[in-house]
Amino acid sequence: MKIKREEEEAQVNMTPMIDCVFQLLIFFMLIADMSNMATDREISLPYADKTVKIDINDPVIVNVRRDGTMWVGSEQVLENRLIQILKHEGDRKRGADGISEQEIFIRGDEFCKWENVQKVMWHAQDQAIYKIKLGSSGDPNKIRK
Amino acid sequence: MAKKRRKWAESNEKEPEVNMTPMIDCVFQLLIFFMVGTRFRSEDGVLAANLPRDKGQRPVEHINKKEELEHVRIKLFLGGSGVAMSATVCQVNQQSIPFDTLRADPAGEALKAHLMGLQRTGGNVPVTIDGEFQVPTRDVVCALNAAISAGYKEINFTVPDFLRRGGGLKPR
């Protein structure tokens, strides 16, 4: 006697995988820091225990890498271009007294020469921008280097 | 007739299924996007300071005694001797302070303690941080951090005017 087998397609239960994928998706969505896309990953900021959270609205972020090159966003800038950017940004918040309320956030690598950061400061000062913030890291692991 | 219909209905009884494949595809796309694009939130932050509003430099001999007392000047320059030839030397109002951010004192505790002592005797006076060109940024930020820790409110950086010569800029 022949037994008729019911033909059924073998199915993999996808539910646990979908659950895991959703968990991962939510995790990455929550942890993603999309707000500071103008900051440079190449830069290792110096340690400072008095580091405060970045609370600047609409800052001009100038990254100074270890080799002294200056970057604004993803663009490497030479001094002339930096002057243009600072002038443009400074003019946007310039008061009647000629002083700009614009803040400059300088992210200098911990091992870059101070001269390179000073250049940015000099150009900012030249555009009557006097408020600066220096990038630092509050991560205590840095001091055990 | 009714028997036939029931039989037909039984044979066609299937659970309605939602096709999940497009959704899973989208979720995977999103997952990959976030995995690649994510930068973990770091402890990065800022230290605030000001730039001087005056320009130009005044020779040291023109700074009078009263001004010197009413001002804390942190000077950082490369010095030392022998192995420590390129170590940063720190002076506060021309008095040398032990300063080794790479090894012995990474958080600048000695400078912090010294500045706190000055704060007690001199009230709230302005601080100027004068870093030499070759000094690493790490040391200057450490000095700034020490001044903030010691409770100083008015902290400025010097910006040498002669930078324009090296930068190939046109004088204003």
Side-chain angles (χ1 to χ4, degrees), chain A residues 60-125:
Chain A
V60 179
I61 304 175
V62 183
N63 297 287
V64 184
R65 287 189 183 173
R66 195 169 295 196
D67 59 3
T69 53
M70 291 177 285
W71 295 74
V72 177
S74 57
E75 180 194 358
Q76 185 181 355
V77 293
L78 297 175
E79 282 185 54
N80 287 333
R81 175 77 184 119
L82 180 69
I83 295 166
Q84 278 179 1
I85 294 169
L86 293 178
K87 184 172 180 352
H88 174 75
E89 295 294 332
D91 286 346
R92 281 174 49 214
K93 293 187 181 176
R94 203 172 297 284
D97 54 355
I99 294 168
S100 177
E101 287 301 306
Q102 180 61 270
E103 283 185 283
I104 307 289
F105 177 21
I106 308 172
R107 297 181 77 247
D109 188 279
E110 58 181 327
F111 292 108
C112 88
K113 286 178 188 166
W114 181 239
E115 167 187 23
N116 300 308
V117 177
Q118 268 186 324
K119 266 183 203 165
V120 182
M121 288 182 177
W122 195 89
H123 292 307
Q125 192 199 34

Side-chain angles (χ1 to χ4, degrees), chain A residues 14 17-18 21-22 24-25 27-34 36-37 39 41 45-56 79-80 83 99 105 107-115 117-119 121-126 129-139 142-143 145, chain B residues 17 20 23-24 27-28 30-31 33-55 102 106-107 109 112 129-142 144-145 148-149 157-164 166-170 172:
Chain A
M14 302 283 274
M17 192 201 69
I18 297 169
V21 168
F22 265 110
L24 281 168
L25 183 65
F27 169 74
F28 279 106
M29 280 174 78
L30 290 178
I31 215 86
D33 190 7
M34 301 290 181
N36 291 320
M37 294 312 262
T39 59
R41 292 180 197 203
L45 294 174
Y47 169 74
D49 58 3
K50 287 287 170 189
T51 297
V52 291
K53 267 184 96 179
I54 304 162
D55 60 342
I56 324 168
E79 282 185 54
N80 287 333
I83 295 166
I99 294 168
F105 177 21
R107 297 181 77 247
D109 188 279
E110 58 181 327
F111 292 108
C112 88
K113 286 178 188 166
W114 181 239
E115 167 187 23
V117 177
Q118 268 186 324
K119 266 183 203 165
M121 288 182 177
W122 195 89
H123 292 307
Q125 192 199 34
D126 210 28
I129 302 170
Y130 301 113
K131 289 180 180 174
I132 56 153
K133 295 211 165 164
L134 284 181
S136 58
S137 169
D139 182 5
K142 288 228 166 199
I143 58 173
K145 265 189 176 176
Chain B
E17 276 184 18
M20 302 282 273
M23 193 202 67
I24 297 169
V27 168
F28 265 111
L30 281 169
L31 182 65
F33 169 75
F34 280 107
M35 281 173 78
V36 172
T38 296
R39 185 159 19 130
F40 290 98
R41 280 201 186 112
S42 56
E43 296 284 316
D44 289 5
V46 290
L47 294 175
N50 297 306
L51 295 177
R53 298 194 176 203
D54 303 325
K55 293 223 168 182
L102 273 180
E109 294 296 338
K112 217 180 278 181
I129 301 172
D130 180 7
E132 199 191 43
F133 285 177
Q134 303 297 314
V135 167
T137 299
R138 176 192 187 115
D139 292 340
V140 184
V141 170
C142 181
L144 173 61
N145 186 52
I148 293 171
S149 300
F157 283 109
T158 57
V159 184
D161 207 28
F162 49 87
L163 258 174
R164 98 174 56 161
L169 295 163
K170 288 176 199 153
R172 286 164 299 150

